Amino acid sequence: MLAVLLVPPLVRLDQQAVDLGARLLPPNWSHPFGTDDLGRDLLLRCVYGLRVSLLVGVVAAFTATVIGTVVGATAGALGGWVDRGVMRVVDTFSSVPHLLLGIFIVALFRPGVWPVVVSVALTHWLSTARIVRAEVLSLRSRPYIDAAVSGGASRWRVAVRHLLPAVLPQAALAAVLMVPHAMWHESALSFLGLGLPTHTASLGTLIQGARGSLLAGQWWPTLFPGLFVIVPTLAIAGLAGAWRERINPRRRSELML
């Protein structure tokens, strides 16, 4: 992760350096990950691709968490017909596979970073809304909430002053868990040619561009970008799992995405 923050200026200069005389070189001392079909250093392109995919994942996860938190807190705090209506909308969207809905959304725009961010955000806020709503419904039965209502506090004041701060740790954890999921979503869309433009070095576009090399027996252009997707996912999932245990070990299943 540190390399993602330190190396990008160098990567930006190097990623366009085409050397057809060094195309598809296997891993060696000069190029630890080998080179791609245009002779570009695959290690630097993977680092830059991780930076782009991580940026998309973080922004999309944050946006989806904000949407899900607002929707879930509103449904849980107001209850009644608002709660029933919101949950019917959540159930309707949840019945459609994320990837299929994401393909439909990105198809409305030209390939780029922001269409992918919008696609991931609009397909991943549902689980956060459910988590936040369940937590709000649980908090509404607490004595201090009853005391606030008995003291004349409005529903809006109770939600803003008491309920929302109490669910923020769960929402933050949901956002962290959503980052690797969003990265996989971006990689899948880019691999299908519907995400980022092919000239942008994200992990998805690197894997998509290496399909021909894999069929020809060159394994490294596919293996290393794939590892750059898997390893950060496992690292983030492990850290989030430890955080989840510290927040509330008894409700592990409710915080799963």
Side-chain angles (χ1 to χ4, degrees):
M1 294 296 181
L2 182 61
V4 177
L5 299 176
L6 297 179
V7 176
L10 175 62
V11 176
R12 185 176 294 275
L13 293 175
D14 184 83
Q15 65 168 341
Q16 302 298 334
V18 176
D19 183 3
L20 296 180
R23 60 188 304 270
L24 293 175
L25 293 177
N28 54 72
W29 288 109
S30 299
H31 305 285
F33 285 6
T35 60
D36 64 4
D37 58 345
L38 293 178
R40 296 170 294 191
D41 185 80
L42 197 56
L43 172 59
L44 294 180
R45 288 183 62 78
C46 284
V47 171
Y48 184 80
L50 177 59
R51 174 176 176 260
V52 173
S53 296
L54 191 60
L55 174 64
V56 172
V58 169
V59 175
F62 176 79
T63 305
T65 300
V66 171
I67 296 173
T69 301
V70 172
V71 173
T74 301
L78 298 181
W81 64 269
V82 175
D83 184 26
R84 292 191 296 271
V86 168
M87 295 315 297
R88 295 297 79 76
V89 173
V90 171
D91 292 340
T92 300
F93 278 96
S94 297
S95 64
V96 182
H98 285 176
L99 185 58
L100 181 61
L101 184 59
I103 290 174
F104 173 76
I105 294 174
V106 297
L108 302 176
F109 306 94
R110 293 182 178 179
V113 172
W114 290 112
V116 175
V117 170
V118 171
S119 170
V120 175
L122 293 182
T123 56
H124 287 70
W125 61 271
L126 306 170
S127 57
T128 303
R130 283 200 178 97
I131 293 171
V132 172
R133 172 184 174 270
E135 189 68 20
V136 169
L137 291 177
S138 174
L139 292 171
R140 284 176 58 183
S141 61
R142 302 291 176 85
Y144 73 92
I145 299 296
D146 293 335
V149 174
S150 300
S154 64
R155 288 186 176 183
W156 174 257
R157 182 177 180 82
V158 170
V160 174
R161 293 292 300 275
H162 301 289
L163 299 179
L164 190 58
V167 302
L168 284 181
Q170 324 293 22
L173 177 58
V176 174
L177 287 170
M178 201 181 302
V179 170
H181 196 183
M183 291 175 60
W184 280 89
H185 198 95
E186 178 276 320
S187 298
L189 290 175
S190 297
F191 179 78
L192 295 174
L194 299 171
L196 302 183
T198 55
H199 63 270
T200 301
S202 74
L203 297 177
T205 57
L206 290 179
I207 297 174
Q208 193 271 345
R211 289 183 298 177
S213 301
L214 182 63
L215 295 176
Q218 288 88 18
W219 47 269
W220 54 93
T222 303
L223 174 64
F224 292 114
L227 291 177
F228 267 65
V229 176
I230 296 173
V231 172
T233 298
L234 296 177
I236 294 174
L239 292 175
W243 184 11
R244 181 178 58 203
E245 292 291 340
R246 293 177 63 87
I247 290 179
N248 200 338
R250 294 184 179 181
R251 301 183 61 184
R252 182 183 310 171
S253 60
E254 291 183 13
L255 300 181
M256 292 294 290
L257 292 181

